[in-house]
Amino acid sequence: MPDHPLTADSFARSTDAVLASVERVIDGKPAAVRAALVCLLAEGQLLIEDVPGVGKTVLARALAASVDATVRRIQFTPDLLPGDVTGVSVYNPVDREFEFKPGAIFAHIVIADEINRSSPKTQSALLEAMEERQVTVDGTSHPLDDPFLVVATQNPLEMEGTYALPEAQRDRFMMRISMGYPDAASEALMLRQRGTANPLDALTPVIDADGVRGLIAWARGIHVSPAVEEYTVALARATREHPDVRLGASPRATLQLVRAAKVWAALDGREFVIPDDVATLVEPVFAHRMIAARGSATRGHGGADTISSILRGIVGSVRVPLATR
């Protein structure tokens, strides 16, 4: 962590180094890489949903390798227990008392791989950790590391052996993104790069945990005008009042949208949020929290496509605040 105070330029240099490091491994997916960094610096959690083999876990591992901090990976399976995630109290016969043995959640960056392959009981072990950044076992609370980021990957629900994440769990993820298949050039480059070695092995940290904490603190101070705050609230309320939506964006979603927009603005070298920052992030922040009304999914689209279409319509219809002279 540098002794001198952070500025917009030094913030940009630090974040550009992280983005460049991750993009050495993730070819042709700058939007996904940027989203992961936004969640880290906005103190949110990231959900990556896509078919197997498109780089979900590699993205999480590349981000972890670019930050000199503690990293743990949890492979979620049907037999995984909540205590494997949070930790358990074990009796010490020497001291004749129970002592807490931390679980895999105690790290700066936690990769929750294929989270929807475990039972709802195990999934719920993450609820307190993701929102309150602590774990309570046998009535005692244990704070988690700072910074703290959960990067969870999940397979589409149509696949065998998956359990849908409940609404309360989805609401705790700041953003949900999809990787998608790479373009032909990126896929060909991947074949050349990974024919003899794994590029992940060549990554070295470009920032440490103290540096990340400094970036987080600086991003918190990005200015959000009352007009932009009102615009954000109007977007959230429009999701709750839309006739084709059964469950709209929660107040937590509104708060996380503003936090993400602050980091988005900072990555663009600005010390203030503009309406475009908010509008750009509406879909990745709101979509996974919303549920379409039963009738709307039958109008030629699937559920996810329906929500995306509704959000685009909301962004197009809600009045954008104009700058004052």
Side-chain angles (χ1 to χ4, degrees):
M1 179 90 182
D3 295 331
H4 54 80
L6 277 172
T7 64
D9 288 340
S10 58
F11 183 97
R13 285 194 299 271
S14 297
T15 52
D16 285 348
V18 176
L19 292 172
S21 176
V22 179
E23 287 174 356
R24 288 171 57 190
V25 177
I26 304 297
D27 299 309
K29 298 294 179 184
V33 174
R34 182 171 172 132
L37 184 59
V38 166
C39 284
L40 174 63
L41 300 182
E43 300 180 282
Q45 321 300 342
L46 177 64
L47 178 63
I48 308 176
E49 182 182 67
D50 219 321
V51 296
V54 294
K56 302 187 299 295
T57 305
V58 174
L59 171 60
R61 292 180 61 194
L63 178 63
S66 302
V67 179
D68 187 13
T70 56
V71 180
R72 289 193 178 180
R73 177 177 177 271
I74 309 172
Q75 180 63 56
F76 279 73
T77 55
D79 60 347
L80 188 73
L81 299 175
D84 298 329
V85 177
T86 60
V88 295
S89 294
V90 178
Y91 183 72
N92 186 333
V94 176
D95 298 331
R96 295 186 177 182
E97 62 182 18
F98 284 90
E99 60 183 39
F100 178 65
K101 298 293 184 182
I105 196 68
F106 285 85
H108 290 112
I109 298 178
V110 178
I111 302 171
D113 211 4
E114 296 185 305
I115 187 174
N116 61 334
R117 286 180 60 83
S118 65
S119 67
K121 182 178 181 179
T122 302
Q123 292 174 8
S124 66
L126 288 171
L127 288 173
E128 181 184 19
M130 292 172 62
E131 179 65 18
E132 302 176 34
R133 296 170 181 263
Q134 67 175 23
V135 167
T136 302
V137 177
D138 294 335
T140 302
S141 296
H142 306 273
L144 296 172
D145 296 334
D146 180 31
F148 175 70
L149 171 69
V150 172
V151 181
T153 70
Q154 76 166 354
N155 299 324
L157 294 180
E158 292 78 10
M159 295 193 165
E160 253 183 83
T162 56
Y163 300 83
L165 295 179
E167 289 81 359
Q169 186 104 34
R170 294 201 307 269
D171 194 46
R172 280 163 169 78
F173 287 101
M174 174 174 278
M175 297 173 67
R176 182 192 65 184
I177 62 172
S178 295
M179 299 289 292
Y181 291 109
D183 57 44
S186 297
E187 194 164 3
L189 179 62
M190 179 190 70
L191 295 178
R192 291 193 296 271
Q193 287 180 333
R194 304 188 185 190
T196 57
N198 186 348
L200 272 171
D201 297 335
L203 289 187
T204 56
V206 298
I207 192 171
D208 59 14
D210 283 340
V212 172
R213 283 191 285 268
L215 295 177
I216 291 172
W218 194 85
R220 284 195 201 115
I222 297 295
H223 176 68
V224 183
S225 69
V228 172
E229 291 176 342
E230 292 169 4
Y231 175 61
T232 307
V233 171
L235 290 170
R237 290 183 63 85
T239 67
R240 302 165 196 161
E241 298 167 358
H242 198 284
D244 289 337
V245 175
R246 183 157 56 95
L247 179 66
S250 66
R252 181 190 285 122
T254 311
L255 176 62
Q256 293 191 342
L257 178 56
V258 170
R259 288 176 177 171
K262 286 184 176 183
V263 176
W264 194 269
L267 292 177
D268 283 345
R270 284 181 279 105
E271 298 185 30
F272 56 89
V273 174
I274 61 176
D276 280 352
D277 300 327
V278 176
T280 299
L281 292 167
V282 162
E283 187 167 342
V285 175
F286 279 2
H288 61 287
R289 309 166 193 263
M290 297 169 57
I291 299 177
R294 286 184 174 82
S296 61
T298 63
R299 300 175 187 172
H301 303 284
D305 292 336
T306 300
I307 293 297
S308 297
S309 177
I310 289 171
L311 285 172
R312 287 193 294 269
I314 287 173
V315 170
S317 61
V318 172
R319 179 181 175 275
V320 179
L322 301 176
T324 56
R325 294 183 179 274

